[in-house]
């Protein structure tokens, strides 16, 4: 038996939420999107990271991140969630170069700004890192190296699977009424699948008699087979628990058996990349990425907006299609629709759990298989607890 680490107040009180914004989301690398969304000059995506408006834009082939606020009056430079548009404020027409430096001001004389004053005007920028097709942003003025947040194995996996992604992406977002940590704990808690997802996900999985997942073979896998750069990757279950717990230790990589049945869309791909398995990367602080048979991929993110509110982001995309096969929007829609059914099954319960925690004095017991949840909790308390707080 494992004693739960986090008290209910960590999920419900504003003080804990504020410290999270400072010590986790203000310092760590956060997923912003995928390079598939930023292929052309002036392609952009807009994100709201717990109240911080962030704009990621393709500027001459380089991805840049800025606070989505004009240096003039703070108006968002880009209003839409995504699109293709130059760095020009829609309010008064102030425009910016790709590095965020002020480019020009219409009706310049009415402002009375000298050349030196104009030279000092620019968009506030943030650090950007791309790992394969994954775009990360760091809001800190002194960001830690991304290699200090993620293990070599995780970074290698993200880089090596990215060339297999199709360019077309289905993306959606919605709001949940629960604390973001409940979602991260939920994806670590593989045991819930056979009870919550009885008719959606669970029938696809292969459970052992004791309730665990069967290990997946690497022999038939293009991604993880003997000749793959990922052949020696260490999955979390194969590693001893870290002591002391480091930041790299709380992102989890898993891979398990999933019986493979060829579906109608299999003929659209050269070959299934990872038949008979699914893999999942639970990437701290708030991302879930994985694949079903290497034929399609899911990417989920739960952005905290309040102690009891999360902005959920969901991306779905397939493996690359055979040469000459046109884009398949209907396939993406179907996969995403099925993905949302599974997500909705979790959301209903997490909304209820949040309400329960708001009036709870303690959290119950945990089993040995929930050790990864306790590991995250111990790291959290070590880095966020302050004297006099409990």
């Amino acid at each position: 038996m494992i004693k739960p680490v986090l008290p209910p107040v960590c999920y419900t009180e504003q003080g804990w939420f504020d410290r999270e914004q400072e010590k986790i989301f203000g310092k760590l690398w956060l997923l912003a999107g995928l390079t598939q969304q930023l292929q052309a000059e002036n392609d952009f995506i807009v994100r709201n990271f717990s109240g911080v408006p962030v704009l990621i834009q393709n500027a001459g082939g380089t991805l840049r991140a800025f606070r989505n606020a004009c240096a003039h009056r703070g108006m968002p430079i880009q209003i839409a969630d995504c699109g293709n548009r130059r760095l020009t404020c829609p309010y008064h027409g102030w425009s910016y170069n790709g590095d965020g430096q002020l480019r020009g001001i219409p009706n310049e004389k009415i402002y009375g700004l000298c050349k030196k004053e104009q030279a000092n005007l620019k968009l506030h920028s943030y650090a950007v890192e791309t790992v394969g097709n994954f775009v990360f942003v760091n809001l800190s003025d002194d960001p830690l190296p991304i290699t200090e947040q993620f293990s070599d194995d995780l970074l290698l996996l993200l880089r090596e699977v990215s060339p297999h992604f199709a360019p077309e992406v289905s993306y959606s977002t919605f709001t949940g009424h629960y604390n973001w940590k409940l979602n991260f704990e939920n994806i670590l808690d593989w045991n819930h699948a056979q009870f919550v997802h009885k008719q959606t996900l669970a029938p696809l999985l292969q459970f052992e008699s004791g309730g665990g997942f069967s290990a997946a073979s690497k022999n038939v896998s293009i991604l993880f087979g003997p000749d793959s750069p990922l052949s020696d990757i260490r999955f979390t279950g194969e590693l001893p628990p870290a002591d002391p717990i480091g930041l790299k230790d709380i992102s989890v990589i898993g891979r398990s058996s999933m019986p493979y049945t060829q579906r109608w869309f299999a003929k659209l791909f050269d070959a299934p990349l990872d038949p008979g398995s699914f893999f999942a990367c639970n990437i701290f602080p708030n991302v879930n990425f994985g694949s079903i048979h290497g034929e399609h991929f899911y990417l989920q993110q739960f952005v905290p907006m309040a102690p009891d509110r999360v902005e959920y982001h969901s991306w779905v995309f397939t493996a690359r299609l055979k040469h000459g096969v046109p884009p398949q929007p209907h396939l993406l829609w179907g996969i995403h629709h099925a993905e949302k059914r599974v997500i909705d099954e979790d959301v209903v319960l997490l909304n209820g759990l949040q309400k329960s925690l708001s009036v709870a004095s303690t959290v119950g017991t945990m089993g040995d298989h929930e050790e990864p949840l306790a590991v995250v909790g111990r790291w959290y308390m070590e880095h966020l607890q302050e004297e006099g707080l409990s």
Side-chain angles (χ1 to χ4, degrees), residues 50-122:
S50 307
V52 179
V54 178
L55 162 66
I56 303 94
Q57 182 126 355
N58 183 326
T62 299
L63 299 187
R64 306 274 190 175
F66 307 103
R67 186 178 181 90
N68 190 23
C70 181
H72 174 211
R73 297 273 295 280
M75 175 64 64
I77 298 293
Q78 306 291 13
I79 301 296
D81 290 337
C82 60
N84 183 283
R85 183 176 173 275
R86 298 184 67 174
L87 288 168
T88 302
C89 178
Y91 200 19
H92 297 100
W94 287 33
S95 61
Y96 299 87
N97 293 321
D99 61 359
Q101 191 69 43
L102 181 68
R103 180 170 175 264
I105 303 176
N107 305 319
E108 176 183 342
K109 292 182 179 180
I110 67 174
Y111 293 93
L113 299 172
C114 69
K115 295 298 181 183
K116 182 178 180 180
E117 289 172 322
Q118 292 188 35
N120 290 329
L121 291 172
K122 59 182 180 180

Side-chain angles (χ1 to χ4, degrees), residues 9-21:
V9 291
C10 292
Y11 304 88
T12 62
E13 290 192 356
Q14 186 67 38
W16 285 97
F17 179 85
D18 292 341
R19 286 198 298 283
E20 291 171 356
Q21 300 316 299

Side-chain angles (χ1 to χ4, degrees), residues 159-174:
R159 284 194 296 266
E160 291 297 328
V161 301
S162 289
H164 298 287
F165 297 166
E168 294 79 25
V169 175
S170 176
Y171 167 74
S172 66
T173 183
F174 62 92

Side-chain angles (χ1 to χ4, degrees), residues 25-28 30 49 52 54 124 126-127 137-141 143:
F25 295 93
K27 292 185 177 181
L28 299 187
L30 309 174
F49 289 123
V52 179
V54 178
H124 183 85
Y126 299 112
V137 170
N138 194 301
L139 304 183
S140 172
D141 293 331

Side-chain angles (χ1 to χ4, degrees), residues 162-208:
S162 289
H164 298 287
F165 297 166
E168 294 79 25
V169 175
S170 176
Y171 167 74
S172 66
T173 183
F174 62 92
T175 299
H177 298 283
Y178 55 85
N179 187 273
W180 68 276
K181 293 188 293 299
L182 294 180
N183 221 136
F184 195 78
E185 293 171 352
N186 183 67
I187 62 175
L188 290 175
D189 175 17
W190 48 264
N191 186 48
H192 82 276
Q194 56 188 313
F195 306 103
V196 180
H197 310 301
K198 291 181 181 179
Q199 297 180 337
T200 53
L201 179 60
L204 304 177
L205 303 175
Q206 184 168 331
F207 296 97
E208 296 178 335

Side-chain angles (χ1 to χ4, degrees), residues 285-297:
N286 62 343
V287 171
N288 183 27
F289 164 66
S291 170
I292 307 297
H293 302 305
E295 291 181 333
H296 72 267
F297 301 86

